[in-house]
Amino acid sequence: MESVYIHIPFCKSICSYCDFCKMLYTSRDSLRYLEALKCEVEEYYLGDCIKTIYIGGGTPSVLNPEELAKLFEIVDLFKKTTTCEITFECNPDDITEVLIDILKVNGVNRISIGMQSFNTEKLIFMERISDFEDIKNKINLINNKGIYNINLDLMYGIPGEGIDILKKDLKMLLKLNPEHISTYSLIVEDNTKIKIRGDENIDEDLDAEMYKYILKKLKSKGYIHYEVSNFAKDGYFSKHNLTYWNNKEYYGFGLGAAGYINGFRYENTKNIDTYCEGNYRSSEALLSKQETMEYELILGFRKVEGINLQEFFDKYEVNIQEAFPIKPLLKNKDLIYKNGYIFISPEKRYLMNEILLKLI
Ligand SMILES: C[S@@+](CC[C@H](N)C(=O)[O-])C[C@H]1O[C@@H](n2cnc3c(N)ncnc32)[C@H](O)[C@@H]1O
Ligand code: SF4
């Protein structure tokens, strides 16, 4: 394993659309949680040299300096390469000089900020705060402290959002000149405030139009579209997320975290009491060869470059065309073959799930 995901489930407030493993921050929970997290790492980490660490949430940036010290004691347990990519997710509100100093001293070299939108109606819908001047100042602060690899999350497809609102959001986001941009079309998930109050996903055609606009705009500004919803300047692809999309194994530590170790995919419990009692895993399954190949497709086709046929053969000793009904999809141009790779046709990328269903 070369990658580690660490989940910090605490947030200052709960956004209306969020279905992730999260809870309101309390100092009591965070301290007992960090102790349990340390025990989980001590029990399961096998001592391999780690190339990427992603500290996500929830909102890791809600932790105070004392809690951050405990968190980075855990991060110190991992043997790391000298170029190890260490990402830390931040809520714009939490970014202060003190926080960035702590992150910098502890080797964090990539920061992901939940920007989401600058549009008042969208922010009210999401129950979030985000201010352009504030984020601009915070990016300057991060850069001045010597971290030059920043991701901004953008959400779109919010009910009531027209293409003009998206255009304005993108324009402002581009003024901030981040190295990496992750885009998220809103999904109305079960058990969220928006689902309970009856909101619905926006019309599919508008969603597709917005997606196409994002691709065109970001491409024209020099961003490389390297994964279905992710864009980066040259040299700034997320090494950590590529571990997932390349179907490589990784450790997942913390509440609700998922991991893939020695052929087993597992998920941790989402119950903090159970977790703090040391009962980390809620499910675990050894994958068959067929299931592993299916993951290779589901994850690999998220990459714009697609799947390398030779690499697939070297890994599974079978041609991808023999393992899956690829040929009819090449014929109807759902899939395209070029220079040893098979990828989803750019015009049909927003239909990825339907295409995968035809294959698996
Ligand atoms: C789980 S959050 C963690 C980062 C941080 N807590 C935040 O909110 O910025 C990661 C990203 O997932 C996205 N997200 C969460 N729920 C979503 C939903 N229901 N539909 C689409 N995107 C969602 C948001 O853009 C968010 O930035
Ligand atoms: S979207 Fe982020 S900040 Fe909002 S509740 Fe979910 S994890 Fe917390």
Side-chain angles (χ1 to χ4, degrees):
M1 275 69 62
E2 296 175 346
S3 292
V4 171
Y5 175 77
I6 298 175
H7 193 74
I8 304 295
F10 306 111
C11 296
K12 258 187 205 152
S13 62
I14 303 300
C15 308
S16 62
Y17 53 85
C18 184
D19 181 37
F20 281 76
C21 176
K22 47 43 175 116
M23 64 189 67
L24 282 175
Y25 167 87
T26 66
S27 59
R28 178 187 166 267
D29 276 342
S30 72
L31 285 172
R32 70 180 180 128
Y33 179 71
L34 289 164
E35 273 166 33
L37 185 64
K38 189 169 187 194
C39 294
E40 190 198 356
V41 172
E42 284 171 342
E43 188 171 333
Y44 285 97
Y45 170 53
L46 298 169
D48 8 23
C49 195
I50 300 300
K51 289 186 179 165
T52 74
I53 298 178
Y54 194 104
I55 304 166
T59 317
S61 58
V62 295
L63 299 179
N64 66 31
E66 186 198 341
E67 292 154 355
L68 287 168
K70 289 195 188 307
L71 172 64
F72 283 108
E73 265 173 36
I74 300 170
V75 174
D76 280 346
L77 296 173
F78 299 107
K79 258 188 250 158
K80 301 179 217 45
T81 57
T82 47
T83 54
C84 184
E85 175 190 91
I86 307 183
T87 306
F88 192 92
E89 277 183 354
C90 288
N91 190 310
D93 255 11
D94 300 327
I95 299 173
T96 61
E97 213 169 327
V98 173
L99 173 72
I100 303 303
D101 281 340
I102 293 173
L103 300 186
K104 179 76 181 149
V105 163
N106 286 288
V108 170
N109 46 27
R110 187 170 182 273
I111 300 228
S112 179
I113 305 177
M115 180 211 90
Q116 317 305 358
S117 171
F118 295 116
N119 175 270
T120 310
E121 281 75 32
K122 276 173 78 175
L123 290 168
I124 290 172
F125 176 92
M126 293 190 266
E127 299 180 23
R128 288 189 71 110
I129 302 168
S130 190
D131 176 78
F132 178 79
E133 282 306 320
D134 178 55
I135 295 197
K136 193 173 144 193
N137 292 337
K138 292 197 166 152
I139 290 176
N140 282 338
L141 169 69
I142 296 168
N143 289 160
N144 291 337
K145 296 283 178 188
I147 300 176
Y148 299 100
N149 189 353
I150 295 183
N151 169 64
L152 295 180
D153 283 348
L154 167 80
M155 283 186 74
Y156 67 98
I158 307 298
E161 178 179 10
I163 193 93
D164 288 345
I165 293 179
L166 172 67
K167 282 184 182 174
K168 215 167 161 194
D169 259 346
L170 262 187
K171 198 173 166 192
M172 293 173 84
L173 184 157
L174 286 164
K175 279 191 193 156
L176 297 169
N177 198 24
E179 283 70 30
H180 191 283
I181 300 169
S182 296
T183 65
Y184 296 85
S185 166
L186 176 78
I187 302 169
V188 179
E189 304 274 11
D190 287 343
N191 303 318
T192 55
K193 292 189 214 173
I194 55 172
K195 178 78 178 185
I196 292 161
R197 72 188 183 210
D199 286 309
E200 287 181 5
N201 290 318
I202 61 159
D203 172 70
E204 272 182 27
D205 290 341
L206 177 59
D207 197 38
E209 190 192 345
M210 288 177 155
Y211 181 65
K212 282 181 189 158
Y213 179 78
I214 292 173
L215 301 195
K216 197 176 89 191
K217 187 73 186 172
L218 294 187
K219 213 173 153 191
S220 77
K221 296 291 175 188
Y223 286 89
I224 303 166
H225 182 207
Y226 73 105
E227 191 269 351
V228 142
S229 311
N230 283 278
F231 305 80
K233 293 186 182 173
D234 201 7
Y236 289 95
F237 293 3
S238 160
K239 293 190 187 112
H240 183 83
N241 286 344
L242 279 167
T243 303
Y244 303 148
W245 302 321
N246 287 325
N247 198 21
K248 288 192 177 163
E249 297 197 337
Y250 60 95
Y251 294 100
F253 292 114
L255 200 69
Y260 181 26
I261 302 180
N262 293 336
F264 284 84
R265 284 205 177 258
Y266 65 88
E267 263 182 38
N268 277 355
T269 175
K270 293 182 175 167
N271 182 308
I272 189 163
D273 294 326
T274 310
Y275 184 84
C276 290
E277 282 157 14
N279 300 313
Y280 311 116
R281 302 281 187 264
S282 62
S283 67
E284 187 170 43
L286 180 62
L287 298 191
S288 65
K289 182 177 170 189
Q290 179 63 25
E291 286 166 330
T292 311
M293 289 193 299
E294 287 175 4
Y295 269 103
E296 191 85 21
L297 248 66
I298 293 166
L299 298 164
F301 279 140
R302 296 194 65 87
K303 291 177 292 173
V304 169
E305 70 172 15
I307 294 171
N308 183 292
L309 300 195
Q310 188 60 48
E311 281 172 16
F312 188 96
F313 182 81
D314 292 345
K315 240 171 157 174
Y316 302 106
E317 294 171 335
V318 57
N319 284 318
I320 194 168
Q321 299 96 313
E322 285 162 31
F324 297 100
I326 297 275
K327 280 187 186 143
L329 280 79
L330 284 170
K331 218 168 165 191
N332 73 10
K333 302 238 175 351
D334 281 353
L335 297 178
I336 298 195
Y337 170 80
K338 201 175 167 188
N339 300 335
Y341 284 82
I342 290 186
F343 51 91
I344 294 189
S345 162
E347 293 78 45
K348 298 193 178 175
R349 214 168 273 133
Y350 69 98
L351 296 172
M352 191 172 72
N353 289 343
E354 285 84 336
I355 293 174
L356 287 171
L357 280 175
K358 290 187 210 169
L359 287 170
I360 294 169

